[in-house]
Amino acid sequence: MDGPGKMVGVGQPMPIFPDLLVESIVDSCPDGARSIVVIDGADAARPVDFATRTAEHARSRGRPAAVVDLHDYVRPASIRFEYSRTDELSYRTLWFDYDALVREVIAPLGPGGGGHFLPRLWDEATDRSARARTTSAAANQIVLIAGPMLLGRGLNVGLSVQLRLSANALRRRTSAPDQWTCAPLLEYYESLDGSAERPDFLVRWDHPDRPALERY
């Protein structure tokens, strides 16, 4: 129900309080086990900020939580910019090292993993190794991986959240130097809509203070 006497149908965005959204995500992580949560969103949606807020809520409830920023898993500039600094196909396929993310974060936290993950691999600003040390994960650790284009990669995670911006909101909130990323991001959204893979939480994020959860 969406207010007295109003039914919210399948595919209809349902308004949700931001605090309730965060709480629902944490509640969806099983107690007593490690959980990996993907927070998928364009940089303009500020997914790392939302992941940080979710981690803070988890810690307030006694669960250890950490955030991994996908921009700390970019490939070296020589690979990212091989075809130009604004190549759209490279942005979709080469910019982020999803294989390293699996190797250094997802697999170690999964069944049979060693329980140690690497929070940062590459320093995007200096274009050098981040020289980070592995972190030991508690038995009930939540790790939130936040950044763009994380879905549809076959990542073996427990929960997925997408902060979806409309085309207008995406263009409006993306900085002028990064406007070229809007087209590949919109293509990415379209590819997900046409696939069987859907996030567990599809959140309409044009107004972060008034998000809406899409049911399907």
Side-chain angles (χ1 to χ4, degrees):
M1 299 287 289
D2 181 22
K6 297 182 180 179
M7 294 294 296
V8 178
V10 173
Q12 294 294 320
M14 178 178 65
I16 185 170
F17 289 114
D19 288 347
L20 180 57
L21 175 62
V22 167
E23 183 178 343
S24 298
I25 292 168
V26 174
D27 284 345
S28 297
C29 297
D31 290 332
R34 296 183 182 124
S35 295
I36 302 175
V37 181
V38 157
I39 307 293
D40 176 79
D43 290 339
R46 303 180 71 172
V48 175
D49 289 354
F50 181 78
T52 300
R53 180 178 177 181
T54 305
E56 290 171 350
H57 177 74
R59 288 193 289 266
S60 74
R61 294 174 52 177
R63 287 201 69 170
V67 175
V68 174
D69 185 344
L70 186 60
H71 277 277
D72 290 328
Y73 271 82
V74 293
R75 296 183 188 276
S78 59
I79 296 176
R80 299 199 313 274
F81 304 146
E82 181 178 2
Y83 300 103
S84 87
R85 288 178 176 268
T86 59
D87 184 76
E88 296 179 5
L89 183 59
S90 295
Y91 183 63
R92 282 280 306 272
T93 60
L94 295 176
W95 269 53
F96 301 102
D97 197 340
Y98 301 101
D99 291 339
L101 190 66
V102 171
R103 183 179 68 247
E104 303 292 349
V105 180
I106 296 174
L109 298 179
H116 293 77
F117 68 98
L118 189 66
R120 301 181 68 218
L121 177 67
W122 198 253
D123 189 316
E124 189 172 9
T126 63
D127 198 37
R128 295 178 180 175
S129 169
R131 299 188 179 278
R133 295 186 177 184
T134 57
T135 298
S136 179
N140 62 339
Q141 180 87 36
I142 297 176
V143 173
L144 300 108
I145 303 171
M149 300 178 290
L150 280 160
L151 301 178
R153 308 282 176 183
L155 303 179
N156 185 20
V157 300
L159 193 71
S160 58
V161 180
Q162 185 176 59
L163 307 180
R164 176 77 71 97
L165 295 174
S166 67
N168 287 339
L170 176 64
R171 294 188 180 100
R172 184 174 63 252
R173 293 170 58 180
T174 299
S175 65
D178 294 330
Q179 281 290 316
W180 66 273
T181 65
C182 292
L185 285 165
L186 292 171
E187 290 174 1
Y188 163 70
Y189 290 156
E190 291 179 5
S191 71
L192 289 179
D193 290 341
S195 73
E197 183 170 350
R198 302 272 295 187
D200 298 298
F201 290 79
L202 177 55
V203 186
R204 298 295 175 178
W205 200 244
D206 284 10
H207 304 282
D209 59 332
R210 291 177 283 119
L213 187 63
E214 185 168 312
R215 304 175 63 192
Y216 51 88

